[in-house]
Amino acid sequence: MSEVEITPRCLKGEAIFVSNDGWLLPCCYVHIYLRRAMALPDKFTYNDHWFTRNRDLFDLKTRTVAEILADPRWEELRRSWTDGTAPTVCYRTCGVPTDMPFKDIDAVRQRDRTFTKLDRAPIAEPTPPPAASSAPAGASEPGPISRRRPQPG
């Protein structure tokens, strides 16, 4: 498996998330992981439980935004992004394999924005209209319904 470099969007102020539970989190993906880790603790690793262990840090009911952002545990999270101990959600959301031709998550996002669904599959050729029915006029069963616009001509 290749090495992954994390370029956190939350440090750029792009993804700060306030949950309906009153938590100020780095992003909405962290909220999803936090809720899952709380519900199914055995399914997650020690590193994934960083947010569970530190959820008091993010509680807007007991702390202000300034207190949350000034807490030294944010620095602990930042260090985890470079020392290989980051929660899986950080790798999956903001990680870029180092052996990829692009080195920045912004380059990945730019590529994704310019790669549309139409680029992924060729456009199918139109099918010919169904053959005329050999049933006599006024037969009880209707013929096939054509959803194509008739061609002039």
Side-chain angles (χ1 to χ4, degrees):
M1 184 170 160
S2 65
E3 292 288 317
V4 176
E5 184 177 318
I6 297 173
T7 306
R9 294 165 48 188
C10 56
L11 286 184
K12 297 178 181 181
E14 292 180 22
I16 299 294
F17 179 76
V18 177
S19 75
N20 60 338
D21 302 317
W23 292 327
L24 178 73
L25 298 166
C27 68
C28 63
Y29 299 103
V30 167
H31 183 247
I32 294 166
Y33 258 68
L34 174 60
R35 301 299 280 168
R36 287 180 181 168
M38 289 169 53
L40 303 165
D42 296 340
K43 300 268 183 194
F44 291 83
T45 67
Y46 178 81
N47 291 343
D48 290 333
H49 280 288
W50 189 91
F51 293 105
T52 308
R53 290 189 308 274
N54 292 291
R55 73 175 175 253
D56 66 306
L57 160 65
F58 306 106
D59 193 352
L60 285 169
K61 294 176 282 227
T62 60
R63 306 179 79 195
T64 66
V65 172
E67 289 172 329
I68 292 171
L69 295 177
D71 194 290
R73 287 177 283 181
W74 277 105
E75 187 56 38
E76 180 185 329
L77 180 61
R78 283 186 193 102
R79 275 193 310 274
S80 79
W81 294 329
T82 58
D83 68 10
T85 62
T88 303
V89 64
C90 298
Y91 285 105
R92 288 188 177 174
T93 307
C94 295
V96 176
T98 55
D99 59 356
M100 297 300 285
F102 37 81
K103 298 299 180 199
D104 189 305
I105 194 71
D106 291 327
V108 174
R109 286 190 205 103
Q110 181 61 38
R111 188 189 116 268
D112 288 345
R113 280 193 291 274
T114 58
F115 189 69
T116 66
K117 288 183 180 179
L118 292 177
D119 294 331
R120 293 182 184 146
I123 297 173
E125 292 293 321
T127 57
S133 174
S134 60
S140 62
E141 291 198 24
I145 298 172
S146 174
R147 299 202 187 276
R148 295 184 54 175
R149 183 182 297 176
Q151 299 295 321

